[in-house]
PDB file of all heavy atoms in Angstrom:
ATOM      1  N   GLY Z 632     -26.781  96.523 -33.846  1.00  0.00           N
ATOM      2  CA  GLY Z 632     -25.378  96.429 -33.516  1.00  0.00           C
ATOM      3  C   GLY Z 632     -24.736  97.811 -33.277  1.00  0.00           C
ATOM      4  O   GLY Z 632     -23.540  97.888 -33.150  1.00  0.00           O
ATOM      5  N   ALA Z 633     -25.607  98.829 -33.343  1.00  0.00           N
ATOM      6  CA  ALA Z 633     -24.980 100.224 -33.081  1.00  0.00           C
ATOM      7  C   ALA Z 633     -26.133 101.070 -32.592  1.00  0.00           C
ATOM      8  O   ALA Z 633     -27.316 100.819 -32.961  1.00  0.00           O
ATOM      9  CB  ALA Z 633     -24.420 100.717 -34.377  1.00  0.00           C
ATOM     10  N   PRO Z 634     -25.868 102.158 -31.862  1.00  0.00           N
ATOM     11  CA  PRO Z 634     -26.927 103.098 -31.419  1.00  0.00           C
ATOM     12  C   PRO Z 634     -27.550 103.739 -32.615  1.00  0.00           C
ATOM     13  O   PRO Z 634     -27.012 103.891 -33.713  1.00  0.00           O
ATOM     14  CB  PRO Z 634     -26.230 104.116 -30.571  1.00  0.00           C
ATOM     15  CG  PRO Z 634     -24.895 103.441 -30.199  1.00  0.00           C
ATOM     16  CD  PRO Z 634     -24.599 102.477 -31.276  1.00  0.00           C
ATOM     17  N   VAL Z 635     -28.897 104.192 -32.432  1.00  0.00           N
ATOM     18  CA  VAL Z 635     -29.595 104.732 -33.490  1.00  0.00           C
ATOM     19  C   VAL Z 635     -29.446 106.315 -33.593  1.00  0.00           C
ATOM     20  O   VAL Z 635     -30.034 106.976 -34.422  1.00  0.00           O
ATOM     21  CB  VAL Z 635     -31.064 104.351 -33.509  1.00  0.00           C
ATOM     22  CG1 VAL Z 635     -31.303 102.959 -33.719  1.00  0.00           C
ATOM     23  CG2 VAL Z 635     -31.710 104.802 -32.056  1.00  0.00           C
ATOM     24  N   GLY Z 636     -28.673 106.838 -32.561  1.00  0.00           N
ATOM     25  CA  GLY Z 636     -28.597 108.294 -32.588  1.00  0.00           C
ATOM     26  C   GLY Z 636     -29.864 108.969 -32.288  1.00  0.00           C
ATOM     27  O   GLY Z 636     -30.635 108.590 -31.434  1.00  0.00           O
ATOM     28  N   GLY Z 637     -30.186 110.045 -32.991  1.00  0.00           N
ATOM     29  CA  GLY Z 637     -31.369 110.821 -32.676  1.00  0.00           C
ATOM     30  C   GLY Z 637     -32.589 110.327 -33.532  1.00  0.00           C
ATOM     31  O   GLY Z 637     -33.630 111.040 -33.480  1.00  0.00           O
ATOM     32  N   MET Z 638     -32.511 109.248 -34.116  1.00  0.00           N
ATOM     33  CA  MET Z 638     -33.612 108.768 -34.991  1.00  0.00           C
ATOM     34  C   MET Z 638     -34.732 108.287 -34.116  1.00  0.00           C
ATOM     35  O   MET Z 638     -34.562 107.528 -33.139  1.00  0.00           O
ATOM     36  CB  MET Z 638     -33.223 107.693 -35.913  1.00  0.00           C
ATOM     37  CG  MET Z 638     -32.207 108.113 -36.992  1.00  0.00           C
ATOM     38  SD  MET Z 638     -31.661 106.721 -37.929  1.00  0.00           S
ATOM     39  CE  MET Z 638     -33.224 106.107 -38.560  1.00  0.00           C
ATOM     40  N   VAL Z 639     -36.038 108.692 -34.384  1.00  0.00           N
ATOM     41  CA  VAL Z 639     -37.158 108.242 -33.613  1.00  0.00           C
ATOM     42  C   VAL Z 639     -37.801 106.907 -34.220  1.00  0.00           C
ATOM     43  O   VAL Z 639     -38.738 106.391 -33.593  1.00  0.00           O
ATOM     44  CB  VAL Z 639     -38.266 109.321 -33.560  1.00  0.00           C
ATOM     45  CG1 VAL Z 639     -37.663 110.611 -32.937  1.00  0.00           C
ATOM     46  CG2 VAL Z 639     -38.846 109.608 -34.903  1.00  0.00           C
ATOM     47  N   GLY Z 640     -37.290 106.488 -35.300  1.00  0.00           N
ATOM     48  CA  GLY Z 640     -37.798 105.255 -35.880  1.00  0.00           C
ATOM     49  C   GLY Z 640     -36.925 104.858 -37.099  1.00  0.00           C
ATOM     50  O   GLY Z 640     -36.225 105.617 -37.602  1.00  0.00           O
ATOM     51  N   TYR Z 641     -37.015 103.509 -37.497  1.00  0.00           N
ATOM     52  CA  TYR Z 641     -36.297 103.032 -38.602  1.00  0.00           C
ATOM     53  C   TYR Z 641     -36.971 101.851 -39.132  1.00  0.00           C
ATOM     54  O   TYR Z 641     -37.789 101.150 -38.425  1.00  0.00           O
ATOM     55  CB  TYR Z 641     -34.875 102.778 -38.222  1.00  0.00           C
ATOM     56  CG  TYR Z 641     -34.681 101.631 -37.311  1.00  0.00           C
ATOM     57  CD1 TYR Z 641     -34.596 100.291 -37.611  1.00  0.00           C
ATOM     58  CD2 TYR Z 641     -34.557 101.913 -35.875  1.00  0.00           C
ATOM     59  CE1 TYR Z 641     -34.402  99.300 -36.767  1.00  0.00           C
ATOM     60  CE2 TYR Z 641     -34.343 100.864 -34.969  1.00  0.00           C
ATOM     61  CZ  TYR Z 641     -34.336  99.567 -35.385  1.00  0.00           C
ATOM     62  OH  TYR Z 641     -34.153  98.587 -34.511  1.00  0.00           O
ATOM     63  N   TYR Z 642     -36.739 101.550 -40.379  1.00  0.00           N
ATOM     64  CA  TYR Z 642     -37.150 100.326 -41.054  1.00  0.00           C
ATOM     65  C   TYR Z 642     -35.898  99.434 -41.319  1.00  0.00           C
ATOM     66  O   TYR Z 642     -34.897  99.923 -41.839  1.00  0.00           O
ATOM     67  CB  TYR Z 642     -37.810 100.610 -42.378  1.00  0.00           C
ATOM     68  CG  TYR Z 642     -38.030  99.373 -43.227  1.00  0.00           C
ATOM     69  CD1 TYR Z 642     -38.835  98.304 -42.844  1.00  0.00           C
ATOM     70  CD2 TYR Z 642     -37.352  99.269 -44.490  1.00  0.00           C
ATOM     71  CE1 TYR Z 642     -38.970  97.162 -43.652  1.00  0.00           C
ATOM     72  CE2 TYR Z 642     -37.528  98.158 -45.281  1.00  0.00           C
ATOM     73  CZ  TYR Z 642     -38.262  97.081 -44.860  1.00  0.00           C
ATOM     74  OH  TYR Z 642     -38.397  96.000 -45.642  1.00  0.00           O
ATOM     75  N   SER Z 643     -35.948  98.232 -40.906  1.00  0.00           N
ATOM     76  CA  SER Z 643     -34.858  97.255 -41.098  1.00  0.00           C
ATOM     77  C   SER Z 643     -35.187  96.360 -42.326  1.00  0.00           C
ATOM     78  O   SER Z 643     -36.157  95.621 -42.402  1.00  0.00           O
ATOM     79  CB  SER Z 643     -34.681  96.405 -39.866  1.00  0.00           C
ATOM     80  OG  SER Z 643     -33.854  95.331 -40.188  1.00  0.00           O
ATOM     81  N   LEU Z 644     -34.266  96.430 -43.301  1.00  0.00           N
ATOM     82  CA  LEU Z 644     -34.424  95.530 -44.411  1.00  0.00           C
ATOM     83  C   LEU Z 644     -34.285  94.035 -44.040  1.00  0.00           C
ATOM     84  O   LEU Z 644     -34.942  93.153 -44.627  1.00  0.00           O
ATOM     85  CB  LEU Z 644     -33.309  95.815 -45.481  1.00  0.00           C
ATOM     86  CG  LEU Z 644     -33.479  96.974 -46.398  1.00  0.00           C
ATOM     87  CD1 LEU Z 644     -32.232  97.147 -47.339  1.00  0.00           C
ATOM     88  CD2 LEU Z 644     -34.784  96.848 -47.255  1.00  0.00           C
ATOM     89  N   GLN Z 645     -33.511  93.802 -43.044  1.00  0.00           N
ATOM     90  CA  GLN Z 645     -33.309  92.428 -42.610  1.00  0.00           C
ATOM     91  C   GLN Z 645     -34.548  91.812 -41.921  1.00  0.00           C
ATOM     92  O   GLN Z 645     -35.036  90.806 -42.335  1.00  0.00           O
ATOM     93  CB  GLN Z 645     -32.086  92.328 -41.681  1.00  0.00           C
ATOM     94  CG  GLN Z 645     -31.603  90.871 -41.392  1.00  0.00           C
ATOM     95  CD  GLN Z 645     -32.371  90.227 -40.281  1.00  0.00           C
ATOM     96  OE1 GLN Z 645     -32.845  90.830 -39.365  1.00  0.00           O
ATOM     97  NE2 GLN Z 645     -32.480  88.862 -40.417  1.00  0.00           N
ATOM     98  N   SER Z 646     -35.057  92.483 -40.932  1.00  0.00           N
ATOM     99  CA  SER Z 646     -36.179  92.003 -40.156  1.00  0.00           C
ATOM    100  C   SER Z 646     -37.555  92.278 -40.787  1.00  0.00           C
ATOM    101  O   SER Z 646     -38.485  91.714 -40.528  1.00  0.00           O
ATOM    102  CB  SER Z 646     -36.184  92.533 -38.731  1.00  0.00           C
ATOM    103  OG  SER Z 646     -36.531  93.975 -38.714  1.00  0.00           O
ATOM    104  N   ASN Z 647     -37.552  93.275 -41.744  1.00  0.00           N
ATOM    105  CA  ASN Z 647     -38.716  93.714 -42.389  1.00  0.00           C
ATOM    106  C   ASN Z 647     -39.681  94.501 -41.448  1.00  0.00           C
ATOM    107  O   ASN Z 647     -40.896  94.584 -41.658  1.00  0.00           O
ATOM    108  CB  ASN Z 647     -39.449  92.608 -43.112  1.00  0.00           C
ATOM    109  CG  ASN Z 647     -40.442  93.155 -44.178  1.00  0.00           C
ATOM    110  OD1 ASN Z 647     -40.131  94.143 -44.873  1.00  0.00           O
ATOM    111  ND2 ASN Z 647     -41.523  92.420 -44.356  1.00  0.00           N
ATOM    112  N   ARG Z 648     -39.159  95.001 -40.374  1.00  0.00           N
ATOM    113  CA  ARG Z 648     -39.969  95.673 -39.324  1.00  0.00           C
ATOM    114  C   ARG Z 648     -39.634  97.118 -39.160  1.00  0.00           C
ATOM    115  O   ARG Z 648     -38.525  97.424 -39.388  1.00  0.00           O
ATOM    116  CB  ARG Z 648     -39.882  94.951 -38.000  1.00  0.00           C
ATOM    117  CG  ARG Z 648     -40.225  93.501 -38.020  1.00  0.00           C
ATOM    118  CD  ARG Z 648     -39.936  92.807 -36.696  1.00  0.00           C
ATOM    119  NE  ARG Z 648     -40.220  91.341 -36.817  1.00  0.00           N
ATOM    120  CZ  ARG Z 648     -40.023  90.446 -35.829  1.00  0.00           C
ATOM    121  NH1 ARG Z 648     -39.478  90.882 -34.674  1.00  0.00           N
ATOM    122  NH2 ARG Z 648     -40.355  89.196 -35.991  1.00  0.00           N
ATOM    123  N   VAL Z 649     -40.633  97.885 -38.777  1.00  0.00           N
ATOM    124  CA  VAL Z 649     -40.408  99.296 -38.347  1.00  0.00           C
ATOM    125  C   VAL Z 649     -40.349  99.271 -36.829  1.00  0.00           C
ATOM    126  O   VAL Z 649     -41.209  98.635 -36.191  1.00  0.00           O
ATOM    127  CB  VAL Z 649     -41.477 100.230 -38.834  1.00  0.00           C
ATOM    128  CG1 VAL Z 649     -41.446 101.573 -38.094  1.00  0.00           C
ATOM    129  CG2 VAL Z 649     -41.400 100.394 -40.378  1.00  0.00           C
ATOM    130  N   ARG Z 650     -39.383  99.967 -36.224  1.00  0.00           N
ATOM    131  CA  ARG Z 650     -39.282 100.115 -34.793  1.00  0.00           C
ATOM    132  C   ARG Z 650     -39.341 101.598 -34.472  1.00  0.00           C
ATOM    133  O   ARG Z 650     -38.685 102.344 -35.114  1.00  0.00           O
ATOM    134  CB  ARG Z 650     -38.025  99.451 -34.280  1.00  0.00           C
ATOM    135  CG  ARG Z 650     -37.960  99.310 -32.756  1.00  0.00           C
ATOM    136  CD  ARG Z 650     -36.689  98.721 -32.280  1.00  0.00           C
ATOM    137  NE  ARG Z 650     -36.544  97.310 -32.669  1.00  0.00           N
ATOM    138  CZ  ARG Z 650     -36.891  96.298 -31.992  1.00  0.00           C
ATOM    139  NH1 ARG Z 650     -37.486  96.485 -30.771  1.00  0.00           N
ATOM    140  NH2 ARG Z 650     -36.706  95.058 -32.368  1.00  0.00           N
ATOM    141  N   MET Z 651     -40.108 101.950 -33.373  1.00  0.00           N
ATOM    142  CA  MET Z 651     -40.228 103.312 -33.006  1.00  0.00           C
ATOM    143  C   MET Z 651     -40.543 103.416 -31.527  1.00  0.00           C
ATOM    144  O   MET Z 651     -40.591 102.384 -30.830  1.00  0.00           O
ATOM    145  CB  MET Z 651     -41.375 104.059 -33.900  1.00  0.00           C
ATOM    146  CG  MET Z 651     -42.700 103.312 -33.747  1.00  0.00           C
ATOM    147  SD  MET Z 651     -44.059 104.098 -34.620  1.00  0.00           S
ATOM    148  CE  MET Z 651     -44.331 105.585 -33.629  1.00  0.00           C
ATOM    149  N   TYR Z 652     -40.887 104.636 -31.009  1.00  0.00           N
ATOM    150  CA  TYR Z 652     -41.350 104.768 -29.633  1.00  0.00           C
ATOM    151  C   TYR Z 652     -42.536 105.702 -29.620  1.00  0.00           C
ATOM    152  O   TYR Z 652     -42.852 106.356 -30.562  1.00  0.00           O
ATOM    153  CB  TYR Z 652     -40.259 105.133 -28.753  1.00  0.00           C
ATOM    154  CG  TYR Z 652     -39.571 106.490 -28.972  1.00  0.00           C
ATOM    155  CD1 TYR Z 652     -40.156 107.647 -28.427  1.00  0.00           C
ATOM    156  CD2 TYR Z 652     -38.435 106.605 -29.761  1.00  0.00           C
ATOM    157  CE1 TYR Z 652     -39.557 108.909 -28.697  1.00  0.00           C
ATOM    158  CE2 TYR Z 652     -37.797 107.804 -29.936  1.00  0.00           C
ATOM    159  CZ  TYR Z 652     -38.370 108.908 -29.418  1.00  0.00           C
ATOM    160  OH  TYR Z 652     -37.766 110.145 -29.685  1.00  0.00           O
ATOM    161  N   ASP Z 653     -43.197 105.790 -28.432  1.00  0.00           N
ATOM    162  CA  ASP Z 653     -44.361 106.674 -28.256  1.00  0.00           C
ATOM    163  C   ASP Z 653     -43.906 108.092 -28.406  1.00  0.00           C
ATOM    164  O   ASP Z 653     -43.228 108.674 -27.557  1.00  0.00           O
ATOM    165  CB  ASP Z 653     -44.897 106.372 -26.917  1.00  0.00           C
ATOM    166  CG  ASP Z 653     -46.277 107.131 -26.686  1.00  0.00           C
ATOM    167  OD1 ASP Z 653     -46.538 108.126 -27.343  1.00  0.00           O
ATOM    168  OD2 ASP Z 653     -47.009 106.634 -25.817  1.00  0.00           O
ATOM    169  N   LEU Z 654     -44.418 108.724 -29.521  1.00  0.00           N
ATOM    170  CA  LEU Z 654     -44.002 110.095 -29.830  1.00  0.00           C
ATOM    171  C   LEU Z 654     -44.575 111.163 -28.891  1.00  0.00           C
ATOM    172  O   LEU Z 654     -44.215 112.286 -28.840  1.00  0.00           O
ATOM    173  CB  LEU Z 654     -44.374 110.416 -31.287  1.00  0.00           C
ATOM    174  CG  LEU Z 654     -43.824 109.508 -32.388  1.00  0.00           C
ATOM    175  CD1 LEU Z 654     -44.314 109.995 -33.753  1.00  0.00           C
ATOM    176  CD2 LEU Z 654     -42.321 109.503 -32.255  1.00  0.00           C
ATOM    177  N   THR Z 655     -45.640 110.762 -28.123  1.00  0.00           N
ATOM    178  CA  THR Z 655     -46.251 111.691 -27.225  1.00  0.00           C
ATOM    179  C   THR Z 655     -45.499 111.806 -25.930  1.00  0.00           C
ATOM    180  O   THR Z 655     -45.772 112.629 -25.053  1.00  0.00           O
ATOM    181  CB  THR Z 655     -47.713 111.235 -26.926  1.00  0.00           C
ATOM    182  OG1 THR Z 655     -47.745 110.089 -26.110  1.00  0.00           O
ATOM    183  CG2 THR Z 655     -48.469 111.108 -28.143  1.00  0.00           C
ATOM    184  N   GLY Z 656     -44.563 110.883 -25.637  1.00  0.00           N
ATOM    185  CA  GLY Z 656     -43.819 110.869 -24.383  1.00  0.00           C
ATOM    186  C   GLY Z 656     -44.528 109.989 -23.324  1.00  0.00           C
ATOM    187  O   GLY Z 656     -44.102 109.974 -22.209  1.00  0.00           O
ATOM    188  N   GLY Z 657     -45.599 109.327 -23.795  1.00  0.00           N
ATOM    189  CA  GLY Z 657     -46.260 108.383 -22.894  1.00  0.00           C
ATOM    190  C   GLY Z 657     -46.997 109.047 -21.777  1.00  0.00           C
ATOM    191  O   GLY Z 657     -47.392 110.220 -21.803  1.00  0.00           O
ATOM    192  N   GLU Z 658     -47.057 108.351 -20.650  1.00  0.00           N
ATOM    193  CA  GLU Z 658     -47.842 108.832 -19.472  1.00  0.00           C
ATOM    194  C   GLU Z 658     -47.364 110.213 -18.927  1.00  0.00           C
ATOM    195  O   GLU Z 658     -48.091 110.927 -18.475  1.00  0.00           O
ATOM    196  CB  GLU Z 658     -47.790 107.786 -18.403  1.00  0.00           C
ATOM    197  CG  GLU Z 658     -48.353 106.457 -18.785  1.00  0.00           C
ATOM    198  CD  GLU Z 658     -49.848 106.452 -18.958  1.00  0.00           C
ATOM    199  OE1 GLU Z 658     -50.506 107.412 -18.379  1.00  0.00           O
ATOM    200  OE2 GLU Z 658     -50.359 105.596 -19.650  1.00  0.00           O
ATOM    201  N   ALA Z 659     -46.024 110.350 -19.096  1.00  0.00           N
ATOM    202  CA  ALA Z 659     -45.421 111.574 -18.437  1.00  0.00           C
ATOM    203  C   ALA Z 659     -45.942 112.893 -18.974  1.00  0.00           C
ATOM    204  O   ALA Z 659     -46.009 113.884 -18.314  1.00  0.00           O
ATOM    205  CB  ALA Z 659     -43.923 111.553 -18.635  1.00  0.00           C
ATOM    206  N   ARG Z 660     -46.460 112.934 -20.247  1.00  0.00           N
ATOM    207  CA  ARG Z 660     -46.864 114.110 -20.828  1.00  0.00           C
ATOM    208  C   ARG Z 660     -48.363 114.245 -20.941  1.00  0.00           C
ATOM    209  O   ARG Z 660     -48.877 115.198 -21.561  1.00  0.00           O
ATOM    210  CB  ARG Z 660     -46.202 114.297 -22.188  1.00  0.00           C
ATOM    211  CG  ARG Z 660     -44.699 114.601 -22.136  1.00  0.00           C
ATOM    212  CD  ARG Z 660     -44.127 114.793 -23.472  1.00  0.00           C
ATOM    213  NE  ARG Z 660     -44.765 115.803 -24.217  1.00  0.00           N
ATOM    214  CZ  ARG Z 660     -44.594 116.041 -25.541  1.00  0.00           C
ATOM    215  NH1 ARG Z 660     -43.697 115.338 -26.206  1.00  0.00           N
ATOM    216  NH2 ARG Z 660     -45.247 116.958 -26.141  1.00  0.00           N
ATOM    217  N   ARG Z 661     -49.097 113.295 -20.503  1.00  0.00           N
ATOM    218  CA  ARG Z 661     -50.557 113.345 -20.638  1.00  0.00           C
ATOM    219  C   ARG Z 661     -51.172 114.211 -19.497  1.00  0.00           C
ATOM    220  O   ARG Z 661     -50.620 114.348 -18.439  1.00  0.00           O
ATOM    221  CB  ARG Z 661     -51.193 111.915 -20.526  1.00  0.00           C
ATOM    222  CG  ARG Z 661     -50.770 111.112 -21.717  1.00  0.00           C
ATOM    223  CD  ARG Z 661     -51.608 109.851 -21.815  1.00  0.00           C
ATOM    224  NE  ARG Z 661     -51.028 108.978 -22.814  1.00  0.00           N
ATOM    225  CZ  ARG Z 661     -50.558 107.772 -22.690  1.00  0.00           C
ATOM    226  NH1 ARG Z 661     -50.618 107.280 -21.444  1.00  0.00           N
ATOM    227  NH2 ARG Z 661     -50.025 107.133 -23.652  1.00  0.00           N
ATOM    228  N   ALA Z 662     -52.282 114.790 -19.824  1.00  0.00           N
ATOM    229  CA  ALA Z 662     -52.989 115.647 -18.904  1.00  0.00           C
ATOM    230  C   ALA Z 662     -53.436 114.776 -17.686  1.00  0.00           C
ATOM    231  O   ALA Z 662     -53.740 113.620 -17.793  1.00  0.00           O
ATOM    232  CB  ALA Z 662     -54.163 116.262 -19.549  1.00  0.00           C
ATOM    233  N   PRO Z 663     -53.450 115.372 -16.464  1.00  0.00           N
ATOM    234  CA  PRO Z 663     -53.979 114.574 -15.291  1.00  0.00           C
ATOM    235  C   PRO Z 663     -55.269 113.948 -15.563  1.00  0.00           C
ATOM    236  O   PRO Z 663     -56.205 114.611 -16.051  1.00  0.00           O
ATOM    237  CB  PRO Z 663     -53.964 115.696 -14.173  1.00  0.00           C
ATOM    238  CG  PRO Z 663     -53.005 116.690 -14.630  1.00  0.00           C
ATOM    239  CD  PRO Z 663     -53.088 116.694 -16.151  1.00  0.00           C
ATOM    240  N   GLY Z 664     -55.394 112.675 -15.178  1.00  0.00           N
ATOM    241  CA  GLY Z 664     -56.700 112.025 -15.400  1.00  0.00           C
ATOM    242  C   GLY Z 664     -56.922 111.501 -16.784  1.00  0.00           C
ATOM    243  O   GLY Z 664     -57.955 110.864 -17.080  1.00  0.00           O
ATOM    244  N   SER Z 665     -56.074 111.795 -17.704  1.00  0.00           N
ATOM    245  CA  SER Z 665     -56.277 111.424 -19.141  1.00  0.00           C
ATOM    246  C   SER Z 665     -55.978 109.898 -19.301  1.00  0.00           C
ATOM    247  O   SER Z 665     -55.147 109.371 -18.621  1.00  0.00           O
ATOM    248  CB  SER Z 665     -55.368 112.216 -20.071  1.00  0.00           C
ATOM    249  OG  SER Z 665     -55.281 111.623 -21.377  1.00  0.00           O
ATOM    250  N   ARG Z 666     -56.673 109.378 -20.268  1.00  0.00           N
ATOM    251  CA  ARG Z 666     -56.459 107.891 -20.505  1.00  0.00           C
ATOM    252  C   ARG Z 666     -55.737 107.788 -21.948  1.00  0.00           C
ATOM    253  O   ARG Z 666     -55.665 106.675 -22.451  1.00  0.00           O
ATOM    254  CB  ARG Z 666     -57.732 107.139 -20.595  1.00  0.00           C
ATOM    255  CG  ARG Z 666     -58.422 107.077 -19.193  1.00  0.00           C
ATOM    256  CD  ARG Z 666     -59.646 106.310 -19.243  1.00  0.00           C
ATOM    257  NE  ARG Z 666     -60.303 106.183 -17.946  1.00  0.00           N
ATOM    258  CZ  ARG Z 666     -61.451 105.523 -17.668  1.00  0.00           C
ATOM    259  NH1 ARG Z 666     -62.008 104.830 -18.639  1.00  0.00           N
ATOM    260  NH2 ARG Z 666     -61.991 105.506 -16.477  1.00  0.00           N
ATOM    261  N   GLY Z 667     -55.206 108.830 -22.444  1.00  0.00           N
ATOM    262  CA  GLY Z 667     -54.493 108.776 -23.717  1.00  0.00           C
ATOM    263  C   GLY Z 667     -55.466 108.543 -24.864  1.00  0.00           C
ATOM    264  O   GLY Z 667     -55.202 107.612 -25.694  1.00  0.00           O
ATOM    265  N   SER Z 668     -56.553 109.295 -24.886  1.00  0.00           N
ATOM    266  CA  SER Z 668     -57.560 109.175 -25.964  1.00  0.00           C
ATOM    267  C   SER Z 668     -56.921 109.572 -27.298  1.00  0.00           C
ATOM    268  O   SER Z 668     -55.926 110.273 -27.393  1.00  0.00           O
ATOM    269  CB  SER Z 668     -58.763 110.014 -25.672  1.00  0.00           C
ATOM    270  OG  SER Z 668     -58.442 111.378 -25.759  1.00  0.00           O
TER     271      SER Z 668
END
């Protein structure tokens, strides 16, 4: 119900889940030809 600001992850007491995102930046920051090993 509100933005998370600069937080990269959080645990919700209500849902009992952790939510986050790909800390590597995903495909955009991988070396050319890499498969994300």
Side-chain angles (χ1 to χ4, degrees):
V635 292
M638 295 175 57
V639 301
Y641 64 89
Y642 166 64
S643 166
L644 282 177
Q645 192 276 331
S646 70
N647 201 35
R648 300 173 184 178
V649 167
R650 191 182 294 268
M651 58 178 288
Y652 62 86
D653 188 335
L654 303 181
T655 68
E658 300 291 340
R660 290 181 55 190
R661 293 194 190 118
S665 166
R666 296 184 178 180
S668 67

